[in-house]
Amino acid sequence: MKNVILLTVDTLRKDVVGCYGSGGFTPFVDSIQSNCITFTKAHSSGPYTQAAFPGILTSSYYLEYGRQKMLSEKRILISEVLKGAGIVTAAFHSNPYLSAYFGWDRGWDAFYDSMEEDVDEKVPYIKARDMNKKVDEWFLTNIQLFRRGRSFFLWTHYMDVHEPYIPERKYIDMVDPSIQLTEDEMYRLFKDVVLKRDVSDKGVVELLRKLYCAHVREVDEAVKEFFEILRKWKVLESSVIIITSDHGDEFGEHGGLSHDGKMYSELIEVPLFIYDPSRGEGEVCDRLVSTMDIPPTIAYLFGVDPPEVWQGHSLLPLDNYSGRGVFGEALDKRGSEEKGDEKEIHYYREGDFKIIYNERDDSWELYDLKEDPKELNNIVDDCPAADDMKAKVKPRVRRYRRSR
C-alpha cells in the first residue's frame, strides 16, 4: 500500500462502538466495516495517555526506561523509522503529553501539537473538526508531492471524547434529548463530580456517561469528514487506515471516574480496525493483540524493517501473527498530577485470564473474563493458573530499577 494513516481517538471505550455489539453511537465507523479487519481483543499497553502512547508510537512499554516524563532517546518513534526510509511523515494532535516539549516531535516532517493555541477551560484542546482542517491544509500544500509518487504516513489524534464532557446540543439530542443542561452546568459536573471521582450518585454517573456518548457521536461525524477529505484529495483508495484508541474511560465500574492507574477492561480494552479499501469483505480477528503491535504493522505495510528494540509484532499478515499474552503497565495514580511516589501497576492477559499486580499494597487480582467479564470476582487464591500468571508479571516489576 502506498500510504498509511493512523487515526487515534483519545479515551474511546470499545463498548460504545456499535460494531462491537453495543452503543450505536458510531454509525460511520460501523458503515466501513466491510473494508476492515476488526480486532475484538485489542489491548492498550496502559490506562492513560502517558502509559499508552509509548506502545502506539514506539512499540515500547511505559516503564521500560524508567519514570521519565520526557521521551527517552532510547525509544524509536515510528516516524523516525519511516522518515529514514524516505516516507513523508506528518502528525496533527492536541494532547499536551505528546507535545514537542516532551520530545514527541522526532522524525516528523510536519508536527502540529497545538501548544501555541489559546484554548478554553471548557474545551481544553483543538476540536476534531479543526484538526481536520489542519490535515486538509497539509494535503493542499503537499498533494503535488504525493501525486509525483512520494508515500506518506499521517497520524491524527482527536481529543473530543475526553473530559470535560460538554458536547454540542445536537449530539446530546442524538443520545438523550431529555438532557437539558447548560454548558456551565456540564462544566460544574466535571469540577464537582469527575475531578473528585465522586460516584455516590449513580444517576449522575449515568448522566456523565450519556454526555460522554454524545461526544463519541460527535467524533464519529469528524471521522466521516476525515474520510471525505481523503477522498477529496484522491488518497483514500491508496491508503490503509488504522483506527484505535489509547485507552478507555471509567463510569463507576470499579469505584471511580475518568482514567486513573487501573487495569480493568473499561480502560485497557480498546477498539482497533485496519481499513483497507481493497478488501472485498470485512474480517473479524478474535486473537489477543496489543497496541504495541501498531508500529510494526505500519512498518510492514511500507515494507520497512522494524527496529530490534520494538517489542510488538506486525498484525499482518494475520495468518502469521502468533497468539500470545499481552502486557500493560502504569503508575498507580489518580488524576493527571503525579507526586513522584506512585507505585507500579501491571497486568497480563493470556486466553480468558487476566492478572493484575499493584505494588502499592503488593496485591494480586485474577479474573476469568469469560465467566466474569465485569471483573468483579477475584479468583487469585483459588485458580490453578494463578502461579503461572504471576510468574509472567514478576520479572517486569521494578525492572528498570534493577538495571541501573
Side-chain angles (χ1 to χ4, degrees), residues 323-365:
R324 65 193 196 287
V326 293
F327 292 95
E329 59 193 40
L331 297 176
D332 179 19
K333 70 184 185 70
R334 170 175 163 169
S336 60
E337 298 298 324
E338 294 182 13
K339 298 178 180 178
D341 60 353
E342 293 86 359
K343 301 299 183 180
E344 296 179 24
I345 184 167
H346 294 254
Y347 84 85
Y348 173 67
R349 178 172 175 180
E350 184 177 304
D352 290 322
F353 289 107
K354 184 171 80 177
I355 196 162
I356 301 170
Y357 173 73
N358 196 319
E359 184 190 16
R360 171 175 43 83
D361 51 9
D362 195 31
S363 65
W364 295 90
E365 300 170 61

Side-chain angles (χ1 to χ4, degrees), residues 10 44-54 62-63 95 97 246-248 259-263 267-268 329-336 338 342-343 345:
D10 207 288
S44 175
S45 57
Y48 49 81
T49 294
Q50 305 98 303
F53 258 99
Y62 180 43
L63 299 174
N95 190 314
Y97 294 115
D246 53 349
H247 55 79
H259 38 278
D260 292 331
K262 301 179 181 181
M263 294 300 192
L267 295 185
I268 63 166
E329 59 193 40
L331 297 176
D332 179 19
K333 70 184 185 70
R334 170 175 163 169
S336 60
E338 294 182 13
E342 293 86 359
K343 301 299 183 180
I345 184 167

Side-chain angles (χ1 to χ4, degrees), residues 196-208:
K196 296 178 181 178
R197 307 300 195 255
D198 181 1
V199 295
S200 60
D201 189 326
K202 293 184 179 180
V204 172
V205 172
E206 179 59 23
L207 173 60
L208 289 168

Side-chain angles (χ1 to χ4, degrees), residues 58-342:
T58 75
S59 195
S60 61
Y61 291 99
Y62 180 43
L63 299 174
E64 196 67 38
Y65 304 105
R67 294 180 55 160
Q68 301 175 343
K69 293 185 178 181
M70 304 298 292
L71 188 69
S72 171
E73 293 294 330
K74 296 179 181 179
R75 300 189 196 270
I76 301 178
L77 284 156
I78 179 63
S79 52
E80 296 177 284
V81 174
L82 298 183
K83 186 175 181 179
I87 295 161
V88 178
T89 58
F92 298 89
H93 76 89
S94 62
N95 190 314
Y97 294 115
L98 307 174
S99 63
Y101 175 82
F102 290 111
W104 290 88
D105 58 339
R106 298 199 316 249
W108 302 99
D109 293 300
F111 186 84
Y112 172 79
D113 62 10
S114 82
M115 293 303 101
E116 302 299 320
E117 308 282 1
D118 290 327
V119 293
D120 184 86
E121 63 179 358
K122 294 177 182 176
V123 187
Y125 48 79
I126 303 302
K127 299 195 74 170
R129 292 292 181 82
D130 293 320
M131 205 63 68
N132 285 348
K133 292 177 183 177
K134 299 288 184 182
V135 171
D136 195 24
E137 293 168 0
W138 178 72
F139 276 117
L140 175 63
T141 302
N142 292 277
I143 194 62
Q144 294 304 321
L145 185 65
F146 306 143
R147 287 173 179 168
R148 290 196 297 268
R150 290 289 298 278
S151 296
F152 68 80
F153 169 60
L154 168 65
W155 166 47
T156 304
H157 183 68
Y158 295 152
M159 287 293 296
D160 301 51
V161 178
H162 199 283
E163 62 198 51
Y165 311 124
I166 309 177
E168 295 179 21
R169 178 74 251 169
K170 68 176 181 177
Y171 298 109
I172 296 176
D173 288 341
M174 292 177 183
V175 174
D176 187 348
S178 70
I179 297 174
Q180 298 294 323
L181 296 175
T182 65
E183 287 190 359
D184 287 341
E185 289 171 328
M186 287 186 277
Y187 187 65
R188 280 200 295 273
L189 283 175
F190 166 65
K191 291 195 298 183
D192 296 342
V193 179
V194 178
L195 288 183
K196 296 178 181 178
R197 307 300 195 255
D198 181 1
V199 295
S200 60
D201 189 326
K202 293 184 179 180
V204 172
V205 172
E206 179 59 23
L207 173 60
L208 289 168
R209 181 183 171 92
K210 288 180 178 179
L211 294 175
Y212 166 91
C213 290
H215 270 311
V216 173
R217 185 66 180 81
E218 184 175 3
V219 164
D220 185 71
E221 286 203 3
V223 175
K224 180 180 179 180
E225 181 184 75
F226 183 82
F227 271 66
E228 290 169 350
I229 291 170
L230 300 177
R231 186 174 289 109
K232 179 182 76 171
W233 291 110
K234 296 181 172 56
V235 296
L236 180 61
E237 292 306 310
S238 59
S239 302
V240 168
I241 305 172
I242 300 173
I243 304 174
T244 192
S245 174
D246 53 349
H247 55 79
D249 229 10
E250 183 184 358
F251 292 94
E253 290 88 349
H254 289 89
L257 295 166
S258 189
H259 38 278
D260 292 331
K262 301 179 181 181
M263 294 300 192
Y264 302 112
S265 295
E266 59 268 15
L267 295 185
I268 63 166
E269 290 195 28
V270 294
L272 176 61
F273 315 102
I274 300 179
Y275 172 93
D276 183 344
S278 67
R279 293 188 66 86
E281 59 182 358
E283 184 173 357
V284 175
C285 178
D286 294 324
R287 300 176 194 172
L288 282 176
V289 303
S290 171
T291 51
M292 299 277 294
D293 301 324
I294 290 175
T297 303
I298 296 169
Y300 169 83
L301 287 166
F302 280 117
V304 176
D305 291 332
E308 291 185 3
V309 295
W310 281 0
Q311 298 185 51
H313 302 271
S314 176
L315 298 167
L316 301 173
L318 275 180
D319 290 342
N320 291 350
Y321 186 87
S322 59
R324 65 193 196 287
V326 293
F327 292 95
E329 59 193 40
L331 297 176
D332 179 19
K333 70 184 185 70
R334 170 175 163 169
S336 60
E337 298 298 324
E338 294 182 13
K339 298 178 180 178
D341 60 353
E342 293 86 359

